[in-house]
Amino acid sequence: MSLVRWEPFSAMDDMFNRFPGFFARSPKLPADSESKFDWAPSVDISETGEEYLIRAALPAVRKEDVKVTVDYGTLTVSGERQQKEEQKQEKFHKVETFYGSFSRSFALPDTVDEAGIRAESKDGVLTIHVPKTKVEAKKPTTIKVQ
């Protein structure tokens, strides 16, 4: 009988690699992608009666490193997460945090007030408020056939 040393981190890696579809993480783009962006933050989109809310998870990203733009009905959130200097006395066993540039784009409906869009960053979450415009209900029109 031989003694086998158990390595918990490699055992976890083996498990995740055996079932990639089940444990897949989506922030990383495919290796063959020619995009200059390294990762994409997860986003939740919701709606109230007055506005759409877009919440992006951006832990460890300073608000100065985030840019929100609206152009031709497309809202884009982009920026960069800076990697901190490695500690020489610290040995990392696994790093799952993505660093580098990111970008996410969203098509906006026609019924939004682009001039009223505002964003705020708090506790690692960027919240973008996209106000709706008042849309009058259209009445059906009867067209006389000639």
Side-chain angles (χ1 to χ4, degrees):
M1 175 185 209
S2 63
L3 182 63
V4 177
R5 182 176 174 185
W6 179 58
E7 304 228 7
F9 296 108
S10 65
M12 290 297 287
D13 283 340
D14 290 342
M15 183 182 72
F16 286 120
N17 291 335
R18 262 187 244 147
F19 305 102
F22 186 71
F23 295 107
R25 293 182 51 124
S26 59
K28 193 77 172 158
L29 294 173
D32 61 341
S33 172
E34 294 187 19
S35 173
K36 66 177 185 170
F37 302 108
D38 298 327
W39 66 285
S42 58
V43 173
D44 296 333
I45 300 174
S46 61
E47 176 181 3
T48 67
E50 297 81 35
E51 65 184 356
Y52 296 98
L53 294 167
I54 300 172
R55 292 182 183 93
L58 295 172
V61 177
R62 299 178 319 159
K63 63 181 177 181
E64 295 83 18
D65 294 334
V66 178
K67 182 178 177 183
V68 180
T69 59
V70 177
D71 191 26
Y72 294 108
T74 301
L75 183 132
T76 301
V77 179
S78 60
E80 185 173 1
R81 181 183 303 168
Q82 304 287 335
Q83 188 168 7
K84 295 179 182 175
E85 283 189 35
E86 247 184 66
Q87 301 294 330
K88 298 295 181 196
Q89 67 273 15
E90 197 172 346
K91 179 181 176 185
F92 288 94
H93 293 281
K94 188 167 188 78
V95 176
E96 292 187 346
T97 305
F98 295 98
Y99 295 98
S101 299
F102 64 86
S103 180
R104 293 290 305 265
S105 293
F106 308 94
L108 297 175
D110 294 334
T111 58
V112 300
D113 176 16
E114 289 186 5
I117 294 174
R118 62 185 175 84
E120 59 193 20
S121 181
K122 183 178 179 187
D123 299 329
V125 177
L126 175 70
T127 303
I128 303 168
H129 300 266
V130 182
K132 296 178 182 179
T133 57
K134 303 290 184 206
V135 178
E136 294 181 20
K138 294 185 178 181
K139 298 178 184 176
T141 305
T142 304
I143 308 296
K144 185 176 179 182
V145 180
Q146 304 219 359

mmCIF file with all atom_site columns, all heavy atoms in Angstrom, residues 105-131:
data_model
loop_
_atom_site.group_PDB
_atom_site.id
_atom_site.type_symbol
_atom_site.label_atom_id
_atom_site.label_alt_id
_atom_site.label_comp_id
_atom_site.label_asym_id
_atom_site.label_entity_id
_atom_site.label_seq_id
_atom_site.pdbx_PDB_ins_code
_atom_site.Cartn_x
_atom_site.Cartn_y
_atom_site.Cartn_z
_atom_site.occupancy
_atom_site.B_iso_or_equiv
_atom_site.pdbx_formal_charge
_atom_site.auth_seq_id
_atom_site.auth_comp_id
_atom_site.auth_asym_id
_atom_site.auth_atom_id
_atom_site.pdbx_PDB_model_num
ATOM 1   N N   . SER A 1 105 ? -21.922 46.221 -23.290 1.00 0.00 ? 105 SER A N   1
ATOM 2   C CA  . SER A 1 105 ? -22.807 47.133 -24.017 1.00 0.00 ? 105 SER A CA  1
ATOM 3   C C   . SER A 1 105 ? -24.227 46.606 -23.994 1.00 0.00 ? 105 SER A C   1
ATOM 4   O O   . SER A 1 105 ? -24.448 45.395 -24.035 1.00 0.00 ? 105 SER A O   1
ATOM 5   C CB  . SER A 1 105 ? -22.344 47.285 -25.466 1.00 0.00 ? 105 SER A CB  1
ATOM 6   O OG  . SER A 1 105 ? -21.099 47.941 -25.516 1.00 0.00 ? 105 SER A OG  1
ATOM 7   N N   . PHE A 1 106 ? -25.186 47.542 -23.949 1.00 0.00 ? 106 PHE A N   1
ATOM 8   C CA  . PHE A 1 106 ? -26.596 47.193 -23.858 1.00 0.00 ? 106 PHE A CA  1
ATOM 9   C C   . PHE A 1 106 ? -27.397 48.071 -24.800 1.00 0.00 ? 106 PHE A C   1
ATOM 10  O O   . PHE A 1 106 ? -27.234 49.295 -24.798 1.00 0.00 ? 106 PHE A O   1
ATOM 11  C CB  . PHE A 1 106 ? -27.112 47.393 -22.427 1.00 0.00 ? 106 PHE A CB  1
ATOM 12  C CG  . PHE A 1 106 ? -26.268 46.701 -21.400 1.00 0.00 ? 106 PHE A CG  1
ATOM 13  C CD1 . PHE A 1 106 ? -25.242 47.379 -20.755 1.00 0.00 ? 106 PHE A CD1 1
ATOM 14  C CD2 . PHE A 1 106 ? -26.472 45.363 -21.116 1.00 0.00 ? 106 PHE A CD2 1
ATOM 15  C CE1 . PHE A 1 106 ? -24.443 46.737 -19.827 1.00 0.00 ? 106 PHE A CE1 1
ATOM 16  C CE2 . PHE A 1 106 ? -25.680 44.709 -20.189 1.00 0.00 ? 106 PHE A CE2 1
ATOM 17  C CZ  . PHE A 1 106 ? -24.659 45.398 -19.543 1.00 0.00 ? 106 PHE A CZ  1
ATOM 18  N N   . ALA A 1 107 ? -28.263 47.460 -25.600 1.00 0.00 ? 107 ALA A N   1
ATOM 19  C CA  . ALA A 1 107 ? -29.154 48.212 -26.481 1.00 0.00 ? 107 ALA A CA  1
ATOM 20  C C   . ALA A 1 107 ? -30.290 48.770 -25.628 1.00 0.00 ? 107 ALA A C   1
ATOM 21  O O   . ALA A 1 107 ? -30.906 48.041 -24.853 1.00 0.00 ? 107 ALA A O   1
ATOM 22  C CB  . ALA A 1 107 ? -29.703 47.313 -27.578 1.00 0.00 ? 107 ALA A CB  1
ATOM 23  N N   . LEU A 1 108 ? -30.536 50.056 -25.765 1.00 0.00 ? 108 LEU A N   1
ATOM 24  C CA  . LEU A 1 108 ? -31.593 50.710 -24.999 1.00 0.00 ? 108 LEU A CA  1
ATOM 25  C C   . LEU A 1 108 ? -32.873 50.761 -25.821 1.00 0.00 ? 108 LEU A C   1
ATOM 26  O O   . LEU A 1 108 ? -32.825 50.942 -27.040 1.00 0.00 ? 108 LEU A O   1
ATOM 27  C CB  . LEU A 1 108 ? -31.174 52.134 -24.625 1.00 0.00 ? 108 LEU A CB  1
ATOM 28  C CG  . LEU A 1 108 ? -29.958 52.267 -23.714 1.00 0.00 ? 108 LEU A CG  1
ATOM 29  C CD1 . LEU A 1 108 ? -29.602 53.742 -23.533 1.00 0.00 ? 108 LEU A CD1 1
ATOM 30  C CD2 . LEU A 1 108 ? -30.213 51.606 -22.370 1.00 0.00 ? 108 LEU A CD2 1
ATOM 31  N N   . PRO A 1 109 ? -34.024 50.631 -25.169 1.00 0.00 ? 109 PRO A N   1
ATOM 32  C CA  . PRO A 1 109 ? -35.285 50.785 -25.911 1.00 0.00 ? 109 PRO A CA  1
ATOM 33  C C   . PRO A 1 109 ? -35.463 52.244 -26.340 1.00 0.00 ? 109 PRO A C   1
ATOM 34  O O   . PRO A 1 109 ? -34.799 53.147 -25.825 1.00 0.00 ? 109 PRO A O   1
ATOM 35  C CB  . PRO A 1 109 ? -36.351 50.366 -24.900 1.00 0.00 ? 109 PRO A CB  1
ATOM 36  C CG  . PRO A 1 109 ? -35.696 50.331 -23.578 1.00 0.00 ? 109 PRO A CG  1
ATOM 37  C CD  . PRO A 1 109 ? -34.230 50.276 -23.778 1.00 0.00 ? 109 PRO A CD  1
ATOM 38  N N   . ASP A 1 110 ? -36.370 52.461 -27.269 1.00 0.00 ? 110 ASP A N   1
ATOM 39  C CA  . ASP A 1 110 ? -36.620 53.819 -27.767 1.00 0.00 ? 110 ASP A CA  1
ATOM 40  C C   . ASP A 1 110 ? -37.282 54.708 -26.736 1.00 0.00 ? 110 ASP A C   1
ATOM 41  O O   . ASP A 1 110 ? -37.277 55.925 -26.865 1.00 0.00 ? 110 ASP A O   1
ATOM 42  C CB  . ASP A 1 110 ? -37.505 53.767 -29.016 1.00 0.00 ? 110 ASP A CB  1
ATOM 43  C CG  . ASP A 1 110 ? -36.793 53.101 -30.184 1.00 0.00 ? 110 ASP A CG  1
ATOM 44  O OD1 . ASP A 1 110 ? -35.549 53.139 -30.221 1.00 0.00 ? 110 ASP A OD1 1
ATOM 45  O OD2 . ASP A 1 110 ? -37.490 52.542 -31.053 1.00 0.00 ? 110 ASP A OD2 1
ATOM 46  N N   . THR A 1 111 ? -37.848 54.118 -25.697 1.00 0.00 ? 111 THR A N   1
ATOM 47  C CA  . THR A 1 111 ? -38.624 54.875 -24.720 1.00 0.00 ? 111 THR A CA  1
ATOM 48  C C   . THR A 1 111 ? -37.811 55.273 -23.496 1.00 0.00 ? 111 THR A C   1
ATOM 49  O O   . THR A 1 111 ? -38.298 55.207 -22.378 1.00 0.00 ? 111 THR A O   1
ATOM 50  C CB  . THR A 1 111 ? -39.840 54.044 -24.279 1.00 0.00 ? 111 THR A CB  1
ATOM 51  O OG1 . THR A 1 111 ? -39.359 52.813 -23.734 1.00 0.00 ? 111 THR A OG1 1
ATOM 52  C CG2 . THR A 1 111 ? -40.779 53.769 -25.431 1.00 0.00 ? 111 THR A CG2 1
ATOM 53  N N   . VAL A 1 112 ? -36.547 55.657 -23.684 1.00 0.00 ? 112 VAL A N   1
ATOM 54  C CA  . VAL A 1 112 ? -35.733 56.115 -22.553 1.00 0.00 ? 112 VAL A CA  1
ATOM 55  C C   . VAL A 1 112 ? -35.291 57.551 -22.774 1.00 0.00 ? 112 VAL A C   1
ATOM 56  O O   . VAL A 1 112 ? -35.184 58.020 -23.899 1.00 0.00 ? 112 VAL A O   1
ATOM 57  C CB  . VAL A 1 112 ? -34.490 55.215 -22.312 1.00 0.00 ? 112 VAL A CB  1
ATOM 58  C CG1 . VAL A 1 112 ? -34.899 53.797 -22.010 1.00 0.00 ? 112 VAL A CG1 1
ATOM 59  C CG2 . VAL A 1 112 ? -33.530 55.276 -23.466 1.00 0.00 ? 112 VAL A CG2 1
ATOM 60  N N   . ASP A 1 113 ? -35.033 58.229 -21.679 1.00 0.00 ? 113 ASP A N   1
ATOM 61  C CA  . ASP A 1 113 ? -34.531 59.603 -21.704 1.00 0.00 ? 113 ASP A CA  1
ATOM 62  C C   . ASP A 1 113 ? -33.011 59.544 -21.567 1.00 0.00 ? 113 ASP A C   1
ATOM 63  O O   . ASP A 1 113 ? -32.488 59.460 -20.451 1.00 0.00 ? 113 ASP A O   1
ATOM 64  C CB  . ASP A 1 113 ? -35.154 60.392 -20.557 1.00 0.00 ? 113 ASP A CB  1
ATOM 65  C CG  . ASP A 1 113 ? -34.625 61.803 -20.455 1.00 0.00 ? 113 ASP A CG  1
ATOM 66  O OD1 . ASP A 1 113 ? -33.997 62.292 -21.427 1.00 0.00 ? 113 ASP A OD1 1
ATOM 67  O OD2 . ASP A 1 113 ? -34.829 62.423 -19.393 1.00 0.00 ? 113 ASP A OD2 1
ATOM 68  N N   . GLU A 1 114 ? -32.300 59.543 -22.685 1.00 0.00 ? 114 GLU A N   1
ATOM 69  C CA  . GLU A 1 114 ? -30.843 59.408 -22.646 1.00 0.00 ? 114 GLU A CA  1
ATOM 70  C C   . GLU A 1 114 ? -30.175 60.533 -21.873 1.00 0.00 ? 114 GLU A C   1
ATOM 71  O O   . GLU A 1 114 ? -29.165 60.331 -21.216 1.00 0.00 ? 114 GLU A O   1
ATOM 72  C CB  . GLU A 1 114 ? -30.271 59.325 -24.067 1.00 0.00 ? 114 GLU A CB  1
ATOM 73  C CG  . GLU A 1 114 ? -30.584 58.029 -24.771 1.00 0.00 ? 114 GLU A CG  1
ATOM 74  C CD  . GLU A 1 114 ? -29.893 57.892 -26.110 1.00 0.00 ? 114 GLU A CD  1
ATOM 75  O OE1 . GLU A 1 114 ? -29.070 58.775 -26.469 1.00 0.00 ? 114 GLU A OE1 1
ATOM 76  O OE2 . GLU A 1 114 ? -30.159 56.907 -26.806 1.00 0.00 ? 114 GLU A OE2 1
ATOM 77  N N   . ALA A 1 115 ? -30.740 61.722 -21.921 1.00 0.00 ? 115 ALA A N   1
ATOM 78  C CA  . ALA A 1 115 ? -30.155 62.866 -21.217 1.00 0.00 ? 115 ALA A CA  1
ATOM 79  C C   . ALA A 1 115 ? -30.266 62.716 -19.701 1.00 0.00 ? 115 ALA A C   1
ATOM 80  O O   . ALA A 1 115 ? -29.489 63.307 -18.956 1.00 0.00 ? 115 ALA A O   1
ATOM 81  C CB  . ALA A 1 115 ? -30.821 64.159 -21.668 1.00 0.00 ? 115 ALA A CB  1
ATOM 82  N N   . GLY A 1 116 ? -31.215 61.921 -19.225 1.00 0.00 ? 116 GLY A N   1
ATOM 83  C CA  . GLY A 1 116 ? -31.430 61.771 -17.790 1.00 0.00 ? 116 GLY A CA  1
ATOM 84  C C   . GLY A 1 116 ? -30.708 60.588 -17.164 1.00 0.00 ? 116 GLY A C   1
ATOM 85  O O   . GLY A 1 116 ? -30.864 60.322 -15.969 1.00 0.00 ? 116 GLY A O   1
ATOM 86  N N   . ILE A 1 117 ? -29.910 59.872 -17.946 1.00 0.00 ? 117 ILE A N   1
ATOM 87  C CA  . ILE A 1 117 ? -29.211 58.699 -17.408 1.00 0.00 ? 117 ILE A CA  1
ATOM 88  C C   . ILE A 1 117 ? -28.168 59.157 -16.392 1.00 0.00 ? 117 ILE A C   1
ATOM 89  O O   . ILE A 1 117 ? -27.432 60.115 -16.620 1.00 0.00 ? 117 ILE A O   1
ATOM 90  C CB  . ILE A 1 117 ? -28.536 57.900 -18.540 1.00 0.00 ? 117 ILE A CB  1
ATOM 91  C CG1 . ILE A 1 117 ? -29.602 57.311 -19.463 1.00 0.00 ? 117 ILE A CG1 1
ATOM 92  C CG2 . ILE A 1 117 ? -27.662 56.779 -17.975 1.00 0.00 ? 117 ILE A CG2 1
ATOM 93  C CD1 . ILE A 1 117 ? -29.047 56.620 -20.692 1.00 0.00 ? 117 ILE A CD1 1
ATOM 94  N N   . ARG A 1 118 ? -28.122 58.454 -15.253 1.00 0.00 ? 118 ARG A N   1
ATOM 95  C CA  . ARG A 1 118 ? -27.119 58.771 -14.227 1.00 0.00 ? 118 ARG A CA  1
ATOM 96  C C   . ARG A 1 118 ? -26.581 57.469 -13.659 1.00 0.00 ? 118 ARG A C   1
ATOM 97  O O   . ARG A 1 118 ? -27.228 56.424 -13.727 1.00 0.00 ? 118 ARG A O   1
ATOM 98  C CB  . ARG A 1 118 ? -27.705 59.655 -13.134 1.00 0.00 ? 118 ARG A CB  1
ATOM 99  C CG  . ARG A 1 118 ? -28.833 59.043 -12.356 1.00 0.00 ? 118 ARG A CG  1
ATOM 100 C CD  . ARG A 1 118 ? -29.457 60.035 -11.364 1.00 0.00 ? 118 ARG A CD  1
ATOM 101 N NE  . ARG A 1 118 ? -30.610 59.448 -10.715 1.00 0.00 ? 118 ARG A NE  1
ATOM 102 C CZ  . ARG A 1 118 ? -30.561 58.667 -9.645  1.00 0.00 ? 118 ARG A CZ  1
ATOM 103 N NH1 . ARG A 1 118 ? -29.402 58.399 -9.072  1.00 0.00 ? 118 ARG A NH1 1
ATOM 104 N NH2 . ARG A 1 118 ? -31.660 58.161 -9.127  1.00 0.00 ? 118 ARG A NH2 1
ATOM 105 N N   . ALA A 1 119 ? -25.377 57.538 -13.109 1.00 0.00 ? 119 ALA A N   1
ATOM 106 C CA  . ALA A 1 119 ? -24.732 56.344 -12.549 1.00 0.00 ? 119 ALA A CA  1
ATOM 107 C C   . ALA A 1 119 ? -24.143 56.679 -11.189 1.00 0.00 ? 119 ALA A C   1
ATOM 108 O O   . ALA A 1 119 ? -23.714 57.803 -10.940 1.00 0.00 ? 119 ALA A O   1
ATOM 109 C CB  . ALA A 1 119 ? -23.637 55.853 -13.485 1.00 0.00 ? 119 ALA A CB  1
ATOM 110 N N   . GLU A 1 120 ? -24.137 55.650 -10.320 1.00 0.00 ? 120 GLU A N   1
ATOM 111 C CA  . GLU A 1 120 ? -23.540 55.810 -8.996  1.00 0.00 ? 120 GLU A CA  1
ATOM 112 C C   . GLU A 1 120 ? -22.824 54.516 -8.637  1.00 0.00 ? 120 GLU A C   1
ATOM 113 O O   . GLU A 1 120 ? -23.226 53.433 -9.053  1.00 0.00 ? 120 GLU A O   1
ATOM 114 C CB  . GLU A 1 120 ? -24.613 56.154 -7.958  1.00 0.00 ? 120 GLU A CB  1
ATOM 115 C CG  . GLU A 1 120 ? -25.695 55.101 -7.841  1.00 0.00 ? 120 GLU A CG  1
ATOM 116 C CD  . GLU A 1 120 ? -26.898 55.582 -7.046  1.00 0.00 ? 120 GLU A CD  1
ATOM 117 O OE1 . GLU A 1 120 ? -27.090 56.803 -6.907  1.00 0.00 ? 120 GLU A OE1 1
ATOM 118 O OE2 . GLU A 1 120 ? -27.648 54.723 -6.573  1.00 0.00 ? 120 GLU A OE2 1
ATOM 119 N N   . SER A 1 121 ? -21.755 54.656 -7.877  1.00 0.00 ? 121 SER A N   1
ATOM 120 C CA  . SER A 1 121 ? -20.976 53.495 -7.458  1.00 0.00 ? 121 SER A CA  1
ATOM 121 C C   . SER A 1 121 ? -20.959 53.435 -5.934  1.00 0.00 ? 121 SER A C   1
ATOM 122 O O   . SER A 1 121 ? -20.635 54.413 -5.272  1.00 0.00 ? 121 SER A O   1
ATOM 123 C CB  . SER A 1 121 ? -19.547 53.601 -7.997  1.00 0.00 ? 121 SER A CB  1
ATOM 124 O OG  . SER A 1 121 ? -18.791 52.486 -7.612  1.00 0.00 ? 121 SER A OG  1
ATOM 125 N N   . LYS A 1 122 ? -21.336 52.251 -5.401  1.00 0.00 ? 122 LYS A N   1
ATOM 126 C CA  . LYS A 1 122 ? -21.355 52.082 -3.949  1.00 0.00 ? 122 LYS A CA  1
ATOM 127 C C   . LYS A 1 122 ? -21.127 50.615 -3.619  1.00 0.00 ? 122 LYS A C   1
ATOM 128 O O   . LYS A 1 122 ? -21.775 49.740 -4.206  1.00 0.00 ? 122 LYS A O   1
ATOM 129 C CB  . LYS A 1 122 ? -22.696 52.556 -3.370  1.00 0.00 ? 122 LYS A CB  1
ATOM 130 C CG  . LYS A 1 122 ? -22.764 52.485 -1.860  1.00 0.00 ? 122 LYS A CG  1
ATOM 131 C CD  . LYS A 1 122 ? -24.084 52.999 -1.350  1.00 0.00 ? 122 LYS A CD  1
ATOM 132 C CE  . LYS A 1 122 ? -24.114 52.876 0.167   1.00 0.00 ? 122 LYS A CE  1
ATOM 133 N NZ  . LYS A 1 122 ? -25.409 53.209 0.709   1.00 0.00 ? 122 LYS A NZ  1
ATOM 134 N N   . ASP A 1 123 ? -20.224 50.350 -2.712  1.00 0.00 ? 123 ASP A N   1
ATOM 135 C CA  . ASP A 1 123 ? -19.950 49.001 -2.219  1.00 0.00 ? 123 ASP A CA  1
ATOM 136 C C   . ASP A 1 123 ? -19.626 48.014 -3.336  1.00 0.00 ? 123 ASP A C   1
ATOM 137 O O   . ASP A 1 123 ? -20.051 46.859 -3.308  1.00 0.00 ? 123 ASP A O   1
ATOM 138 C CB  . ASP A 1 123 ? -21.117 48.471 -1.382  1.00 0.00 ? 123 ASP A CB  1
ATOM 139 C CG  . ASP A 1 123 ? -21.393 49.325 -0.153  1.00 0.00 ? 123 ASP A CG  1
ATOM 140 O OD1 . ASP A 1 123 ? -20.428 49.920 0.374   1.00 0.00 ? 123 ASP A OD1 1
ATOM 141 O OD2 . ASP A 1 123 ? -22.558 49.400 0.268   1.00 0.00 ? 123 ASP A OD2 1
ATOM 142 N N   . GLY A 1 124 ? -18.895 48.456 -4.350  1.00 0.00 ? 124 GLY A N   1
ATOM 143 C CA  . GLY A 1 124 ? -18.484 47.560 -5.425  1.00 0.00 ? 124 GLY A CA  1
ATOM 144 C C   . GLY A 1 124 ? -19.551 47.285 -6.461  1.00 0.00 ? 124 GLY A C   1
ATOM 145 O O   . GLY A 1 124 ? -19.384 46.412 -7.303  1.00 0.00 ? 124 GLY A O   1
ATOM 146 N N   . VAL A 1 125 ? -20.653 48.027 -6.417  1.00 0.00 ? 125 VAL A N   1
ATOM 147 C CA  . VAL A 1 125 ? -21.722 47.847 -7.395  1.00 0.00 ? 125 VAL A CA  1
ATOM 148 C C   . VAL A 1 125 ? -21.967 49.177 -8.102  1.00 0.00 ? 125 VAL A C   1
ATOM 149 O O   . VAL A 1 125 ? -22.215 50.196 -7.456  1.00 0.00 ? 125 VAL A O   1
ATOM 150 C CB  . VAL A 1 125 ? -23.030 47.360 -6.736  1.00 0.00 ? 125 VAL A CB  1
ATOM 151 C CG1 . VAL A 1 125 ? -24.147 47.251 -7.761  1.00 0.00 ? 125 VAL A CG1 1
ATOM 152 C CG2 . VAL A 1 125 ? -22.808 46.029 -6.043  1.00 0.00 ? 125 VAL A CG2 1
ATOM 153 N N   . LEU A 1 126 ? -21.871 49.156 -9.421  1.00 0.00 ? 126 LEU A N   1
ATOM 154 C CA  . LEU A 1 126 ? -22.189 50.330 -10.228 1.00 0.00 ? 126 LEU A CA  1
ATOM 155 C C   . LEU A 1 126 ? -23.660 50.230 -10.600 1.00 0.00 ? 126 LEU A C   1
ATOM 156 O O   . LEU A 1 126 ? -24.085 49.238 -11.200 1.00 0.00 ? 126 LEU A O   1
ATOM 157 C CB  . LEU A 1 126 ? -21.331 50.365 -11.498 1.00 0.00 ? 126 LEU A CB  1
ATOM 158 C CG  . LEU A 1 126 ? -21.663 51.480 -12.483 1.00 0.00 ? 126 LEU A CG  1
ATOM 159 C CD1 . LEU A 1 126 ? -21.238 52.831 -11.903 1.00 0.00 ? 126 LEU A CD1 1
ATOM 160 C CD2 . LEU A 1 126 ? -20.987 51.228 -13.812 1.00 0.00 ? 126 LEU A CD2 1
ATOM 161 N N   . THR A 1 127 ? -24.459 51.235 -10.225 1.00 0.00 ? 127 THR A N   1
ATOM 162 C CA  . THR A 1 127 ? -25.883 51.252 -10.547 1.00 0.00 ? 127 THR A CA  1
ATOM 163 C C   . THR A 1 127 ? -26.135 52.369 -11.542 1.00 0.00 ? 127 THR A C   1
ATOM 164 O O   . THR A 1 127 ? -25.803 53.526 -11.282 1.00 0.00 ? 127 THR A O   1
ATOM 165 C CB  . THR A 1 127 ? -26.743 51.470 -9.291  1.00 0.00 ? 127 THR A CB  1
ATOM 166 O OG1 . THR A 1 127 ? -26.435 50.441 -8.338  1.00 0.00 ? 127 THR A OG1 1
ATOM 167 C CG2 . THR A 1 127 ? -28.218 51.434 -9.623  1.00 0.00 ? 127 THR A CG2 1
ATOM 168 N N   . ILE A 1 128 ? -26.712 52.003 -12.683 1.00 0.00 ? 128 ILE A N   1
ATOM 169 C CA  . ILE A 1 128 ? -27.026 52.972 -13.730 1.00 0.00 ? 128 ILE A CA  1
ATOM 170 C C   . ILE A 1 128 ? -28.537 53.107 -13.799 1.00 0.00 ? 128 ILE A C   1
ATOM 171 O O   . ILE A 1 128 ? -29.249 52.114 -13.956 1.00 0.00 ? 128 ILE A O   1
ATOM 172 C CB  . ILE A 1 128 ? -26.456 52.528 -15.092 1.00 0.00 ? 128 ILE A CB  1
ATOM 173 C CG1 . ILE A 1 128 ? -24.945 52.309 -14.977 1.00 0.00 ? 128 ILE A CG1 1
ATOM 174 C CG2 . ILE A 1 128 ? -26.776 53.559 -16.164 1.00 0.00 ? 128 ILE A CG2 1
ATOM 175 C CD1 . ILE A 1 128 ? -24.334 51.610 -16.151 1.00 0.00 ? 128 ILE A CD1 1
ATOM 176 N N   . HIS A 1 129 ? -29.009 54.332 -13.638 1.00 0.00 ? 129 HIS A N   1
ATOM 177 C CA  . HIS A 1 129 ? -30.447 54.635 -13.685 1.00 0.00 ? 129 HIS A CA  1
ATOM 178 C C   . HIS A 1 129 ? -30.768 55.158 -15.082 1.00 0.00 ? 129 HIS A C   1
ATOM 179 O O   . HIS A 1 129 ? -30.229 56.187 -15.492 1.00 0.00 ? 129 HIS A O   1
ATOM 180 C CB  . HIS A 1 129 ? -30.819 55.693 -12.650 1.00 0.00 ? 129 HIS A CB  1
ATOM 181 C CG  . HIS A 1 129 ? -30.507 55.277 -11.246 1.00 0.00 ? 129 HIS A CG  1
ATOM 182 N ND1 . HIS A 1 129 ? -31.441 54.685 -10.435 1.00 0.00 ? 129 HIS A ND1 1
ATOM 183 C CD2 . HIS A 1 129 ? -29.359 55.345 -10.514 1.00 0.00 ? 129 HIS A CD2 1
ATOM 184 C CE1 . HIS A 1 129 ? -30.895 54.415 -9.260  1.00 0.00 ? 129 HIS A CE1 1
ATOM 185 N NE2 . HIS A 1 129 ? -29.625 54.812 -9.285  1.00 0.00 ? 129 HIS A NE2 1
ATOM 186 N N   . VAL A 1 130 ? -31.647 54.451 -15.799 1.00 0.00 ? 130 VAL A N   1
ATOM 187 C CA  . VAL A 1 130 ? -32.043 54.846 -17.149 1.00 0.00 ? 130 VAL A CA  1
ATOM 188 C C   . VAL A 1 130 ? -33.526 55.183 -17.101 1.00 0.00 ? 130 VAL A C   1
ATOM 189 O O   . VAL A 1 130 ? -34.379 54.291 -17.098 1.00 0.00 ? 130 VAL A O   1
ATOM 190 C CB  . VAL A 1 130 ? -31.788 53.706 -18.166 1.00 0.00 ? 130 VAL A CB  1
ATOM 191 C CG1 . VAL A 1 130 ? -32.159 54.149 -19.571 1.00 0.00 ? 130 VAL A CG1 1
ATOM 192 C CG2 . VAL A 1 130 ? -30.327 53.246 -18.103 1.00 0.00 ? 130 VAL A CG2 1
ATOM 193 N N   . PRO A 1 131 ? -33.856 56.489 -17.028 1.00 0.00 ? 131 PRO A N   1
ATOM 194 C CA  . PRO A 1 131 ? -35.264 56.875 -16.894 1.00 0.00 ? 131 PRO A CA  1
ATOM 195 C C   . PRO A 1 131 ? -36.064 56.618 -18.172 1.00 0.00 ? 131 PRO A C   1
ATOM 196 O O   . PRO A 1 131 ? -35.550 56.754 -19.279 1.00 0.00 ? 131 PRO A O   1
ATOM 197 C CB  . PRO A 1 131 ? -35.204 58.368 -16.576 1.00 0.00 ? 131 PRO A CB  1
ATOM 198 C CG  . PRO A 1 131 ? -33.877 58.816 -17.055 1.00 0.00 ? 131 PRO A CG  1
ATOM 199 C CD  . PRO A 1 131 ? -32.961 57.634 -17.023 1.00 0.00 ? 131 PRO A CD  1
#
